[in-house]
Amino acid sequence: MRAEQVTEPHAHHGEGPVWDPSWGGLRFVDMLAGDILTADLASGEVERLHVGEVAAAFRPRTSGGMVVAIERGFALVGADGSVDRLPELWDDHGVRMNEGGCDPQGRFYCGSMAYAATKGAGTVYRLDPDRTVSVVLPDVTISNGLAWSPDHRLAYYIDTPTGRVDAFDHDPDTGLVVDSRRPVVEIPGEWGGPDGMTVDAEGYLWVAMYGGSAVRRVAPDGTLDGVVEVPGVKQVTACTFGGADLDELFITTSREGLSDDEQPTAGAVFSVRPGVRGLPVLPYAG
């Protein structure tokens, strides 16, 4: 399969796409610009909302608006675009939030990383609906994709330098069962680095390959099932299903570290219809 470009390269470091009908379709982040972009897929244009120094990850809220992971913590964005920053979680300016998602009970998880990608400098945090924050998983390096199985019994997680996808049991009352962590997919180095991830309605994982010009569909047992090529772009960052029937895979890309004349479509959004459907986005219950 081969993806097609559906927006101009609006983002420097495009990441974290989310489809939700409540806001009319597709949003994604220009992470290091601190912006959330709403895409008009008919025109290919975008509208920006600035939320902070970093816009790492976000999800819709059941009460309207969004929950967002910003540089050193969380923020709540109203339906009117107002930004309510919650207290910072750390004061080290060398560490920032990176990627996250909500569990089926509406708790928002996001993991951090050092700007220098220092080993073990990151932490996965959880923001509960009552706005309390807890540490879920310390000592991670580049905390990335996080997604739940269709039956909500498993959570899949990527810490990019490990070169794999891990699984955790999920408990409805307590969330991720940390001591149940085990590897489920080993990513060969020639594929690139595993980055963002989504899960389809059949329970298969779609993993964006940073440096690999592709998204790979992988069975829960680790078997490679399919490849979506992203032409002209090496740094493929994340993906999500969207469209009226959740049958279109939207893929974000990055031009971080590239010169102006390298990979001119890097930073654009691409899409493909792979013949399977995704799952509705899990919202934040706060």
Side-chain angles (χ1 to χ4, degrees), residues 17-286:
V18 178
W19 179 279
D20 188 61
S22 71
W23 55 51
L26 182 69
R27 290 180 176 174
F28 60 102
V29 301
D30 191 352
M31 184 181 287
L32 302 179
D35 294 343
I36 296 174
L37 282 58
T38 301
D40 181 339
L41 297 175
S43 68
E45 295 303 311
V46 299
E47 179 179 325
R48 289 178 178 264
L49 174 67
H50 188 69
V51 296
E53 295 82 2
V54 167
F58 66 98
R59 288 296 185 271
R61 296 168 64 192
T62 54
S63 59
M66 298 177 286
V67 60
V68 185
I70 54 176
E71 188 174 35
R72 293 187 292 279
F74 297 105
L76 301 176
V77 177
D80 60 356
S82 59
V83 179
D84 177 16
R85 296 188 181 206
L86 303 185
E88 289 191 351
L89 301 179
W90 64 87
D91 57 11
D92 182 351
H93 288 224
V95 175
R96 63 170 175 83
M97 287 291 202
N98 194 55
E99 178 62 287
C102 285
D103 73 11
Q105 286 67 44
R107 299 170 289 222
F108 184 50
Y109 296 72
C110 195
S112 63
M113 63 172 286
Y115 281 98
T118 307
K119 184 177 180 180
T123 301
V124 178
Y125 297 90
R126 190 182 80 197
L127 176 67
D128 284 8
D130 64 2
R131 303 191 185 186
T132 59
V133 178
S134 56
V135 170
V136 176
L137 192 64
D139 302 319
V140 300
T141 301
I142 302 178
S143 190
N144 253 313
L146 180 62
W148 275 258
S149 61
D151 63 7
H152 298 164
R153 295 175 62 187
L154 297 176
Y156 297 106
Y157 173 68
I158 293 170
D159 183 3
T160 297
T162 67
R164 65 177 192 256
V165 181
D166 291 344
F168 294 85
D169 294 335
H170 176 76
D171 184 294
D173 295 324
T174 60
L176 298 190
V177 181
V178 174
D179 61 5
S180 69
R181 183 178 184 175
R182 67 271 191 190
V184 291
V185 182
E186 299 286 347
I187 305 293
E190 61 268 22
W191 288 8
D195 199 327
M197 171 178 54
T198 193
V199 175
D200 65 30
E202 298 176 358
Y204 284 65
L205 289 65
W206 296 77
V207 183
M209 297 296 167
Y210 195 88
S213 302
V215 175
R216 304 242 174 192
R217 187 186 195 227
V218 183
D221 66 3
T223 306
L224 176 65
D225 184 75
V227 181
V228 177
E229 298 176 357
V230 183
V233 179
K234 288 189 175 182
Q235 296 171 170
V236 179
T237 56
C239 54
T240 195
F241 282 92
D245 296 319
L246 294 178
D247 62 352
E248 189 168 1
L249 186 71
F250 292 97
I251 302 164
T252 51
T253 64
S254 173
R255 60 178 309 99
E256 188 177 22
L258 300 176
S259 65
D260 291 343
D261 58 352
E262 288 181 283
Q263 302 177 37
T265 58
V269 175
F270 293 74
S271 78
V272 67
R273 294 185 186 274
V276 295
R277 295 187 179 187
L279 299 167
V281 62
L282 297 170
Y284 174 62

